[in-house]
Amino acid sequence: MEDHWTVGHVARLAGVSVRTLHHYDDIGLVRPSARTPAGYRAYSPADVQRLREVLAYRRLGFGLREVAGLVGDPSTDAVAHLRRLRGLLLERRDRADAMVAAIDRELTARAKGLKVTPEEQLGMLGARLYDAIGGAYTATRRTEPRFAARIWDALGDARTVLNVGAGTGSYEPVDRAVTAVEPSAVMRGQRPAGSAPCVAAAAESLPFDDGSFDAAMAVSTVHHWGDPIAGLREMRRVARRVVVLTFDTDEPGWQDRFWLTRDYLPEFAGVLSAFPSLAGMADAIGGRAEPVPIPWDCADGLFEAYWRRPEAYLDDRVRRAVSVWARVGPEAERRAVRSLGDDLGSGRWAERNSDLAELDAADLGLRLLVA
């Protein structure tokens, strides 16, 4: 039959057994809706699409009952399923990346003959690994009121706001109708009670119609996206106004603006080597860039926050809440921390950076894109 496929053919294409397909038919999960001239069951394009969704969710570890609920949701179409699946896969990738980093740390420790305790082994490789990494955010990553004022002012008269890459909910205005998007279950789980509803999705594939929101915002998250330009264009698609707090790598010698990357962690430049230009990001949303100086007592513990409080970088809790340290690797991190500690102890850091003592704020490349 044209545009219909037999059970055997579909099984071969999908890489599953005919018995599996018969079982899905028996329990009503995926029932072939057509018959061949000889009376055999046959799959229509819609049946194949549903099977694809079932198999994708199954391979992500969902049970049959959970899958039935997901694919049976009448409010979710094929595009929404694809976007949800993409978000789940990105989350799984993040978990895998975190586990690789943890394994690297243990291998390095063992190579140096250091003892690795059972608690450390379970913390590195157990189910709590990603929870521990993501969980560090609530300790030091809080809303900085001066950043918030800039962001909320840029939102203008927007009443409905989409917060993309929302994390634990910092910077979400409480006087507007906010919808959050966050692919990480760990981050979503740390959002406080009563916070805005949060959708599991990725920035590059927002599950909303064109012009669904008055404004879309993204705060210190673009560098985590697989395709930042695609994500920014999606924000522009779903909202008439876009506000993004991000980082500028256009300026020649940008990595030397901050003493930490200049003197102790040159690997930081490699972390952002593939990051799009500020001009490219501004073009993606049709916006302009404004500098955002970082106050010396910044409440949000982002990478550059402690530019006048260098001792903070010796605190493992502070570093664990910033993805840069995981991305440069354990050897670079240990070297940087050791060198900084030595220079703080000897007074060399204070001598090199004496000009910072009188500054209340510093321009270290943080930029607000507004369209």
Side-chain angles (χ1 to χ4, degrees), residues 40-62:
Y40 294 108
R41 288 173 290 190
Y43 290 81
S44 70
D47 301 333
V48 171
Q49 177 179 294
R50 182 180 174 96
L51 176 63
R52 187 274 308 280
E53 293 159 1
V54 167
L55 294 175
Y57 285 122
R58 286 290 285 156
R59 287 166 187 172
L60 282 168
F62 287 86

Side-chain angles (χ1 to χ4, degrees), residues 165-184:
T168 59
S170 298
Y171 300 101
E172 292 178 359
V174 297
D175 60 341
R176 313 178 195 230
V178 176
T179 300
V181 167
E182 172 55 52
S184 168

Side-chain angles (χ1 to χ4, degrees), residues 13-197:
L13 289 174
V16 298
S17 68
V18 170
R19 177 177 293 182
T20 295
L21 297 184
H22 284 168
H23 179 59
Y24 289 170
D25 186 2
D26 291 341
I27 64 176
L29 192 56
V30 184
R31 283 182 169 155
S33 59
R35 294 279 174 174
T36 68
Y40 294 108
R41 288 173 290 190
Y43 290 81
S44 70
D47 301 333
V48 171
Q49 177 179 294
R50 182 180 174 96
L51 176 63
R52 187 274 308 280
E53 293 159 1
V54 167
L55 294 175
Y57 285 122
R58 286 290 285 156
R59 287 166 187 172
L60 282 168
F62 287 86
L64 287 175
R65 187 170 296 178
E66 294 174 293
V67 172
L70 289 167
V71 300
D73 182 356
S75 66
T76 306
D77 61 12
V79 173
H81 279 298
L82 286 173
R83 287 172 172 162
R84 179 189 287 162
L85 287 165
R86 191 176 190 280
L88 291 167
L89 287 166
L90 287 172
E91 181 180 335
R92 176 166 291 190
R93 183 189 67 183
D94 289 344
R95 288 177 179 269
D97 288 346
M99 184 168 284
V100 168
I103 291 171
D104 286 344
R105 287 194 293 271
E106 180 168 337
L107 287 172
T108 301
R110 289 180 180 275
K112 293 185 175 182
L114 300 176
K115 182 179 179 181
V116 181
T117 68
E119 291 81 6
E120 289 172 327
Q121 292 173 24
L122 293 176
M124 284 181 176
L125 301 177
R128 294 183 297 124
L129 168 70
Y130 194 75
D131 293 343
I133 294 172
Y137 276 71
T138 55
T140 63
R141 302 303 298 271
R142 297 180 291 274
T143 296
E144 163 50 54
R146 286 154 288 195
F147 293 170
R150 294 281 302 274
I151 294 165
W152 297 343
D153 182 64
L155 291 174
D157 61 356
R159 301 307 308 161
T160 58
V161 178
L162 180 69
N163 186 16
V164 182
T168 59
S170 298
Y171 300 101
E172 292 178 359
V174 297
D175 60 341
R176 313 178 195 230
V178 176
T179 300
V181 167
E182 172 55 52
S184 168
V186 173
M187 291 297 188
R188 293 196 304 272
Q190 295 178 85
R191 293 176 62 82
S195 60

